[in-house]
Amino acid sequence: MKALVFHGPNTIAWEEVPDARLLEPTDAVVRIDTTTICGTDLHILHGDVPAVTDGRVLGHEGVGTIVAVGESVRSHAVGERVIISCISGCGVCTYCRSQNPSHCLAAEGMPGIGWVLGHLIDGTQAELVRVPFADSSLHRLPSNVPDELAVLLSDILPTGFEIGVRYGHVQPGDSVAVVGAGPVGLAAVATAGLYGAAQIIALDTDGHRLDVAKRLGATATVDASAPDWKAQVLAITDDAGVDVAIECVGIPQTFTMCTELVRPGGHVANVGVHGAPAELALQDLWIRNITITTGLVNTTTLPMLLRLVAAGKLPVEAFVTHRFDLDDIVSAYDTFGRAAQTQALKVLLSR
C-alpha cells in the first residue's frame, strides 16, 4: 500500500509501505476513503513532536470502509463505513471508564496516551490503516452523512466542543470570545450555540476566516491585529468582558488576550497546542475568580455530534476549502501549510 511517511523534520514522502494488518484480536483494518491534514500534523512535520520518529505514517483523522476485523471485535463488521476517532481507547481502563480515553492506560503506543494514530503508531494518511480497539475507536456512519462532513468528526468538532465549549462551561445567555478562527476555533464557534451562547465573538487576523466564522454562527467578529481589539470586545459586552474566552491558537499572546477579555468569575478554556511557555499573570488574576482549563480531546461527544450533523443541525459545510486525490497528499500539505496565502481550512484527501 502507499502512505504518507515522515522522514524527519520537513521531510515527508508518499511511498510504498507494508500493508496494514491485524495485530491484536481487538483490531480492525480500514480502507481509507477520505482523510485530512491537522495543524498537529504540521507541528510533527516541523519537528515539534519528538515522539514521532522516522518512518511513521502520519494522520489521525479519517473515514473509511472496514476490510478486516479481529476475532474479538463485536460492534463492527467487514464492509461497514466508519469514522475513525483520533483517540484510541481500550474502553476498560481507569481513564477510559472515567470518560478520559485520551489518557488510556493500554500498552498500545504508550500507556497514558490515547492519541496514538499518526503519533506512536502508523496513522490514517494511507490507503489502509490498522485501528486498535475497534469497538470503541470506530463509529458507524449513517448513509446520509457524506465523507467531507464525517471527517470533521474525527477530531476538530469534538475538540472545539469538548475542550472549548464544555470545559469553558458555556451557559445559556453567555458571551463567548473565540480567539483564533482556524479549523478548531471555527469548531468552537459552530458548537457554542449548542449550549445557548447569546454572543459568539470570533477574533483573528485573517479576514477570510472571520467571514467563515460568521457563516458558522459568530454574532460578531474582531480583527485581532487592530490596536483597539480589546475595546471592541468590551463594547460588545457592555464593558463587562466575556463569560468564556476560548484560546484556539497556542501562542503566549493569544492566551494573554483571553485572560484580558474574560470577566471576573469567568472561564478561560485553552484549546491551542502550546510549544512555548506562556506567562500566567497570577498577580493580576488571583483576585478575579477566573477558572482556567486545558485538555486533550476525548471524542466522547462524537456520537452526539454525529447525530446533529446527520440531522443538519450543525452548519459545517464551510470547513472544507480544498480537495485533493489521496496520492497528491504532498501538494495538499503545501497548500495547508500556506493557509494564509491559500485560505485553506480543511483540506480533503479522497481515494
Side-chain angles (χ1 to χ4, degrees):
M1 72 176 195
K2 284 198 168 182
L4 194 283
V5 182
F6 175 74
H7 287 301
N10 302 309
T11 306
I12 50 175
W14 179 249
E15 60 188 44
E16 288 286 343
V17 299
D19 283 357
R21 60 187 180 87
L22 301 174
L23 297 180
E24 302 291 341
T26 51
D27 289 349
V29 174
V30 177
R31 182 195 70 200
I32 293 296
D33 298 325
T34 300
T35 187
T36 185
I37 303 169
C38 179
T40 305
D41 295 321
L42 294 184
H43 281 290
I44 292 170
L45 178 59
H46 297 149
D48 297 335
V49 186
V52 181
T53 56
D54 187 357
R56 177 67 63 229
V57 175
L58 300 185
H60 53 266
E61 302 165 272
V63 174
T65 304
I66 297 175
V67 297
V69 294
E71 60 184 14
S72 297
V73 175
R74 296 291 179 263
S75 301
H76 298 286
V78 170
E80 284 183 3
R81 185 165 162 258
V82 291
I83 300 171
I84 301 167
S85 170
C86 66
I87 298 297
S88 304
C90 69
V92 297
C93 73
T94 299
Y95 285 115
C96 284
R97 291 189 178 194
S98 65
Q99 297 295 293
N100 286 287
S102 59
H103 298 286
C104 177
L105 293 171
E108 188 73 46
M110 182 183 298
I113 299 177
W115 167 44
V116 294
L117 289 170
H119 177 207
L120 303 174
I121 66 172
D122 288 341
T124 60
Q125 292 170 3
E127 293 177 327
L128 297 169
V129 60
R130 177 181 77 91
V131 180
F133 313 119
D135 281 333
S136 52
S137 302
L138 296 175
H139 300 266
R140 191 177 294 108
L141 192 55
S143 60
N144 66 325
V145 179
D147 283 12
E148 66 181 47
L149 301 186
V151 76
L152 304 175
L153 292 155
S154 282
D155 185 354
I156 65 164
L157 280 174
T159 296
F161 180 59
E162 292 176 17
I163 310 305
V165 176
R166 275 193 157 186
Y167 277 26
H169 290 273
V170 174
Q171 301 292 321
D174 276 357
S175 56
V176 178
V178 179
V179 179
V184 171
L186 292 171
V189 168
T191 57
L194 296 177
Y195 281 178
Q199 295 177 316
I200 304 171
I201 307 161
L203 294 90
D204 203 286
T205 59
D206 187 316
H208 170 68
R209 291 186 171 192
L210 292 177
D211 288 341
V212 175
K214 291 178 183 176
R215 293 164 59 189
L216 291 171
T219 58
T221 60
V222 172
D223 181 349
S225 65
D228 64 341
W229 60 266
K230 182 177 178 180
Q232 289 187 53
V233 174
L234 291 177
I236 295 168
T237 61
D238 296 325
D239 288 328
V242 296
D243 298 287
V244 182
I246 302 175
E247 198 286 327
C248 296
V249 182
I251 59 175
Q253 296 94 319
T254 49
F255 178 77
T256 299
M257 287 174 69
C258 287
T259 64
E260 293 180 3
L261 291 175
V262 69
R263 65 164 178 81
H267 291 75
V268 173
N270 185 87
V271 183
V273 177
H274 287 263
E279 181 179 337
L280 182 62
L282 282 176
Q283 73 278 7
D284 300 322
L285 296 173
W286 73 269
I287 201 170
R288 295 175 56 200
N289 297 71
I290 290 170
T291 300
I292 299 174
T293 57
T294 66
L296 173 63
V297 67
N298 287 296
T299 65
T300 52
T301 63
L302 194 160
M304 179 272 286
L305 293 170
L306 173 57
R307 290 193 294 271
L308 290 173
V309 170
K313 301 293 186 181
L314 281 178
V316 293
E317 292 81 3
F319 278 91
V320 177
T321 56
H322 294 74
R323 293 170 173 80
F324 292 85
D325 291 336
L326 183 57
D327 59 7
D328 197 21
I329 191 169
V330 175
S331 296
Y333 262 85
D334 175 68
T335 296
F336 188 63
R338 296 185 296 109
Q341 292 79 41
T342 62
Q343 298 187 337
L345 290 173
K346 290 304 284 183
V347 172
L348 205 70
L349 296 144
S350 298
R351 184 173 60 86

